[in-house]
Amino acid sequence: MSEATDLLSDHIQHYIGAHHVDSADGDTFDVIDPTTNAAYISCASGKAADIDAAVAAAREAFDHGPWPTMQPRERARVLYAIADEVEKVHAKLAALESFDSGLPIRQAKGQANRAAENFRFFADLIVAQRDETYKMPGRQINYVNRKPKGVAGLITPWNTPFMQESWKLAPALASGCTVVLKPAEFTPASASLWPGIFERAGVPEGVFNLVNGFGETAGDALVKHPDVNLISFTGEAATGRVIFANCAPTMKAMSMELGGKSPAVIFADADVDQALDSTLFGVFSLNGERCTASSRILVERPIYDRFVEAYAERARKIKVGPPSDPDTEIGALVHPEHYDKVMSYIEIGKEEARLVAGGSRPAGLEEGNYLEATVFADVAPTARIFQEEIFGPVVCITPFDTDEEALALANGVDYGLAAYVWTSDVTRAHLFSHAIEAGMVWVNSHNVRDLRTPFGGVKASGLGHEGGYRSLDFYSDQQAVHIRLGDVHTTRFGATGYADNDLGLGGPSA
Ligand code: NAD
């Protein structure tokens, strides 16, 4: 028996209308241990019939249950209880996440706190929520009537899966929506903690539903379901395009958090030691399987050679090893299919650029999805490894001579998720940040989130921004209600020959 099956039963089910159930057709799939690629657990494989059942449960809870109409304070209490329950299972969550996705246990340990914080944050927001009211003196009073949008379909990826799920579940539930979650098929284990967490926190029946399965079957059925009011999706840009098209016939609201190829631009006047630490962490933490990874480092020519040498030296010392080892800095990539994709980019990179660190399976780790921290230098902007998202522990370093060239390199890809700017010149920091085509910019720092700020990308990195009140706006309809206070001029159509209306139908003047 493996460590993870000590924490789980050996079979993961769906959770529909407060019942743990298998697929209607009994189908299952195997979940793989990334350190051996051996199947270690089976999971129910959802299809359209299971999605139908989950959407029906969510619709019933939305139309007839207490959740959408609860007072914000009451809902916030439940969200706080969810956060407490998440923290109670932090050790189990870290172990499951590390085992299932190959994330180093040290990095998996922070996931429960981040997930819990998402629930507390949105609980606070709904209690403090204000909506606009406008007065036209003596004539009209107009206000926004905020209403939960309905049944939310949430589709999530396999990198830090539990945290990603919480980032959608918290604002959806806070807004009063009911939900159907479809987690990534590579990593279903940690999502199986949600039903217990929600039950113990007092979430009413049917508000949360979970259907496991593949994107092309369960995910597709959720996207196309006529009773689902919105889709919040995080995943690859290519999948986003398919979902975008599939949402069109039923005109669903969509939020898309997609891939990235984010630049870190390091000017010669920066604190280069800090930039070195930060960009090493920025691309090699979370196994490099990180949407906001600084996977293209652009370095000003006078410091380029020194930077590349120091970066490669540090990368060679990064400890790759079993995810459960507390000293491991890079664990095992999530799945053999993904590993093969990353390894194919290494071969492409060897043709396109100068390999200065890594590029191979580490010695002594003969099975499982292990790869050394890999650094390519002198990468041309036309190279595929510069342009395409690799989503593994692989980084490109490219020199530049002027601010204009740095900007052209930074913006010269399809993606626009995050950017990192390193300089001690305040004016340049602002102007360069404003000119970068990225949804989020950090100056002299890696990705440190403030939950109040917008999160999302531009170009191929996404559509719509969540974060803070923007998330609540996405999961709510904002209806404008206009109340007449005084006379409203009405042009009288068809009134020729009539002096006044006198229909004798009642009303204030009758
Ligand atoms: P993916 O697109 O392969 O899958 C994501 C989810 O979509 C999975 O649950 C999958 O089952 C589902 N899916 C696949 N095809 C579908 C379809 N036709 N209809 C409905 N659902 C479908 O992505 P992935 O490989 O799981 O995740 C990695 C990607 O996610 C990377 O590109 C990464 O940059 C991106 N990502 C982005 C952010 C962000 O916030 N911008 C955060 C994390 C990950």
Side-chain angles (χ1 to χ4, degrees):
M1 183 178 273
S2 69
E3 321 159 36
T5 47
D6 289 344
L7 299 166
L8 282 176
S9 71
D10 57 4
H11 176 59
I12 299 175
Q13 293 183 297
H14 311 306
Y15 182 74
I16 299 176
H19 299 291
H20 295 271
V21 292
D22 280 319
S23 293
D25 66 1
D27 196 13
T28 63
F29 64 92
D30 287 337
V31 187
I32 284 172
D33 168 358
T35 65
T36 59
N37 289 327
Y40 77 97
I41 203 166
S42 79
C43 184
S45 182
K47 310 275 168 50
D50 309 296
I51 291 289
D52 280 348
V55 174
R59 174 54 56 194
E60 171 66 22
F62 188 80
D63 291 345
H64 304 293
W67 190 251
T69 52
M70 266 185 188
Q71 294 302 311
R73 170 62 74 197
E74 238 183 303
R75 245 188 346 247
R77 280 203 190 98
V78 179
L79 297 172
Y80 262 94
I82 294 170
D84 293 344
E85 292 300 327
V86 167
E87 280 175 350
K88 282 184 202 158
V89 297
H90 75 98
K92 185 171 179 177
L93 169 65
L96 277 182
E97 209 71 310
S98 175
F99 191 93
D100 202 29
S101 71
L103 195 66
I105 186 70
R106 241 165 67 187
Q107 296 168 41
K109 280 187 175 150
Q111 299 300 311
N113 287 346
R114 289 198 58 189
E117 194 49 30
N118 285 336
F119 285 95
R120 293 204 181 97
F121 174 77
F122 285 108
D124 291 344
L125 278 198
I126 54 167
V127 172
Q129 174 87 53
R130 297 187 310 176
D131 281 309
E132 295 138 283
T133 305
Y134 301 99
K135 219 166 61 176
M136 298 169 80
R139 281 204 212 158
Q140 253 187 359
I141 186 153
N142 309 320
Y143 63 90
V144 174
N145 175 37
R146 182 178 288 270
K147 307 190 273 191
K149 223 170 228 161
V151 175
L154 312 179
I155 302 180
T156 49
W158 48 257
N159 63 322
T160 58
F162 191 85
M163 204 287 292
Q164 296 282 350
E165 291 151 17
S166 74
W167 175 240
K168 297 189 187 302
L169 286 166
L173 295 177
S175 302
C177 289
T178 59
V179 306
V180 178
L181 169 68
K182 207 299 281 171
E185 56 270 36
F186 285 176
T187 53
S190 55
S192 67
L193 297 175
W194 287 121
I197 289 169
F198 289 138
E199 282 175 11
R200 292 190 294 277
V203 175
E205 274 183 23
V207 169
F208 168 77
N209 302 275
L210 165 72
V211 177
N212 286 293
F214 291 91
E216 296 71 13
T217 47
D220 185 68
L222 186 59
V223 167
K224 292 177 177 165
H225 203 293
D227 247 0
V228 172
N229 302 89
L230 66 92
I231 292 291
S232 178
F233 169 73
T234 301
E236 286 183 16
T239 316
R241 288 189 182 97
V242 172
I243 292 180
F244 191 100
N246 287 341
C247 279
T250 45
M251 293 289 266
K252 288 185 175 63
M254 276 178 303
S255 167
M256 301 247 162
E257 307 281 8
L258 308 177
K261 192 78 186 177
S262 301
V265 185
I266 306 176
F267 289 95
D269 65 0
D271 181 330
V272 182
D273 288 335
Q274 277 192 20
L276 183 72
D277 281 342
S278 187
T279 49
L280 281 159
F281 177 80
V283 76
F284 295 121
S285 56
L286 309 182
N287 296 342
E289 296 164 332
R290 177 179 201 137
C291 56
T292 54
S294 49
S295 53
R296 295 182 298 138
I297 306 180
L298 313 176
V299 185
E300 199 169 3
R301 185 87 59 187
I303 56 167
Y304 181 75
D305 289 338
R306 200 158 47 90
F307 184 87
V308 169
E309 197 182 316
Y311 197 93
E313 192 185 325
R314 288 276 296 276
R316 279 183 224 111
K317 291 185 188 149
I318 290 178
K319 193 168 181 313
V320 184
S324 57
D325 180 341
D327 290 333
T328 289
E329 292 173 309
I330 295 180
L333 303 195
V334 67
H335 192 276
E337 275 172 32
H338 180 60
Y339 184 72
D340 290 346
K341 177 186 141 187
V342 174
M343 292 309 275
S344 76
Y345 275 108
I346 303 272
E347 292 314 309
I348 294 167
K350 285 178 183 165
E351 300 292 316
E352 290 181 326
R354 180 163 62 100
L355 180 67
V356 292
S360 305
R361 174 183 282 283
L365 293 168
E366 303 314 328
E367 60 171 9
N369 308 317
Y370 293 105
L371 170 62
E372 294 168 329
T374 298
V375 184
F376 288 102
D378 310 343
V379 183
T382 49
R384 282 186 62 192
I385 58 166
F386 188 94
Q387 292 289 331
E388 297 172 24
E389 185 185 43
I390 300 174
F391 217 55
V394 184
V395 69
C396 299
I397 313 186
T398 302
F400 68 86
D401 288 299
T402 62
D403 288 38
E404 293 69 32
E405 190 191 358
L407 188 63
L409 287 168
N411 289 345
V413 297
D414 289 342
Y415 293 103
L417 188 56
Y420 308 86
V421 180
W422 288 86
T423 179
S424 57
D425 177 334
V426 175
T427 305
R428 173 195 266 158
H430 283 286
L431 295 179
F432 203 87
S433 300
H434 298 175
I436 273 194
E437 293 165 358
M440 298 166 285
V441 183
W442 279 269
V443 175
N444 296 331
S445 163
H446 51 84
N447 166 352
V448 179
R449 282 278 290 134
D450 176 341
L451 293 179
R452 294 166 299 183
T453 58
F455 186 94
V458 297
K459 296 165 49 180
S461 289
L463 194 71
H465 285 62
E466 296 197 38
Y469 284 111
R470 288 166 193 80
S471 298
L472 299 184
D473 286 349
F474 174 66
Y475 291 102
S476 316
D477 276 327
Q478 292 159 73
Q479 178 187 49
V481 180
H482 308 82
I483 311 287
R484 163 183 161 164
L485 298 179
D487 277 348
V488 174
H489 171 74
T490 310
T491 303
R492 300 181 69 219
F493 278 30
T496 313
Y498 287 80
D500 272 315
N501 286 335
D502 187 9
L503 305 180
L505 294 178
S509 60

